[in-house]
Amino acid sequence: MSCDYFLLTKPKNSSCDDETNNQVLAFSGVNAYILPKNNLHYYADNGLFEKYLMSWVKEFCSKDKSMLDIGAHSGTYTVSLAEHCNHVYAFEPQKHTYYSLCGSVALSNMKNVTCYQYGLGSEDQVGKKTLNIVSNDGGGSTLHVNHLPVLRTEEIEIKTLDSFAFDNVGFIKMDVEENELQVLKSAQETIVRCNHPVILFEMNDYNKELVDYLKILGYGVDQVKNYGNMYLATKA
């Protein structure tokens, strides 16, 4: 069974049987992105964040292979790349950001995407953990302590990547705010089973331990041109 969706809106102060101010927004044949309103002017003027990077990494996607979007936020990578993949498995632990991810997938009428409201990490992180929310757009939320003030916290559930037993992954995008090393420490079985998929990952401050660990796993690591905090790991 499949279903296309549309939006029906009513003013917040109206009753559900008041039809005088209904608005209907229907989508057909488009990718729909539910995005944080506090960045509206940027999106209106510039389009999606990292749009050129997303266009470039299409070359690492394959319709015969799955993609993992680890730290999917509201789904710009997931929605933009799903048509180039066999399947996308998207992970986003923060509640309202996860809701926007699912909404984007539903409105885009994508049948080859599975969304998970989990964070990924190492064996010793498994279970309930506190997520530090540092921005109203859901970006930058982290399990770790950093220099940014914490606006609020949220309890999330952490699992390991290996616990999902994925076996056909060709590309991984990972943006987990300083938890990349912990994700990889419990992803070795997946990486070997999938023959070392290409990994695009964020590293705001150079992390020698993370880079060295990727090399131990059998990767070479290069900084992405024109993106100072994005790196690409490919099989050495």
Side-chain angles (χ1 to χ4, degrees):
M1 176 181 175
S2 64
C3 180
D4 291 341
Y5 293 91
F6 69 92
L7 296 179
L8 169 66
T9 69
K10 293 176 177 287
K12 284 186 177 293
N13 59 354
S14 70
S15 63
C16 61
D17 60 351
D18 180 357
E19 313 299 344
T20 57
N21 291 297
N22 286 357
Q23 292 184 354
V24 172
L25 299 173
F27 305 91
S28 178
V30 300
N31 287 342
Y33 301 86
I34 297 178
L35 301 166
K37 189 176 180 180
N38 55 324
N39 292 326
L40 186 152
H41 293 296
Y42 177 91
Y43 288 118
D45 293 339
N46 302 286
L48 298 171
F49 286 119
E50 299 181 359
K51 57 188 176 184
Y52 299 116
L53 184 55
M54 286 188 287
S55 293
W56 175 60
V57 298
K58 288 176 184 176
E59 70 178 78
F60 304 116
C61 298
S62 167
K63 292 193 175 182
D64 296 326
K65 298 284 186 178
S66 296
M67 168 187 162
L68 304 182
D69 191 353
I70 304 173
H73 196 247
S74 60
T76 53
Y77 274 80
T78 290
V79 171
S80 297
L81 299 177
E83 65 181 300
H84 304 282
C85 303
N86 177 265
H87 202 95
V88 178
Y89 299 95
F91 292 84
E92 175 51 52
Q94 189 173 328
K95 183 171 67 174
H96 279 92
T97 309
Y98 172 76
Y99 293 162
S100 67
L101 165 66
C102 294
S104 296
V105 170
L107 290 173
S108 300
N109 194 28
M110 290 181 163
K111 309 298 191 296
N112 67 329
V113 177
T114 303
C115 301
Y116 296 101
Q117 193 183 352
Y118 298 122
L120 294 181
S122 58
E123 289 283 356
D124 60 2
Q125 290 178 319
V126 167
K128 301 294 184 181
K129 290 290 181 288
T130 297
L131 184 70
N132 298 306
I133 299 172
V134 299
S135 67
N136 287 319
D137 66 1
S141 298
T142 180
L143 295 172
H144 303 277
V145 176
N146 58 30
H147 63 283
L148 297 173
V150 177
L151 303 181
R152 62 189 184 279
T153 61
E154 185 176 306
E155 186 178 71
I156 64 171
E157 186 173 355
I158 301 293
K159 292 181 176 287
T160 67
L161 180 56
D162 281 343
S163 69
F164 289 86
F166 295 123
D167 62 0
N168 189 38
V169 177
F171 177 60
I172 299 172
K173 169 257 178 180
M174 182 168 55
D175 183 355
V176 290
E177 303 301 334
E178 303 173 46
N179 210 50
E180 286 78 8
L181 177 59
Q182 286 74 22
V183 172
L184 291 171
K185 283 184 174 179
S186 291
Q188 296 181 53
E189 293 175 9
T190 303
I191 287 169
V192 171
R193 188 187 306 115
C194 298
N195 194 28
H196 292 74
V198 173
I199 304 174
L200 176 74
F201 66 98
E202 182 185 69
M203 184 167 56
N204 290 316
D205 297 309
Y206 189 81
N207 185 335
K208 185 177 185 299
E209 187 178 3
L210 170 59
V211 173
D212 287 347
Y213 191 77
L214 280 162
K215 291 178 180 178
I216 290 171
L217 292 177
Y219 283 98
V221 178
D222 295 292
Q223 187 176 24
V224 178
K225 185 178 180 182
N226 298 325
Y227 288 89
N229 66 339
M230 299 301 294
Y231 291 77
L232 196 73
T234 54
K235 187 175 181 181

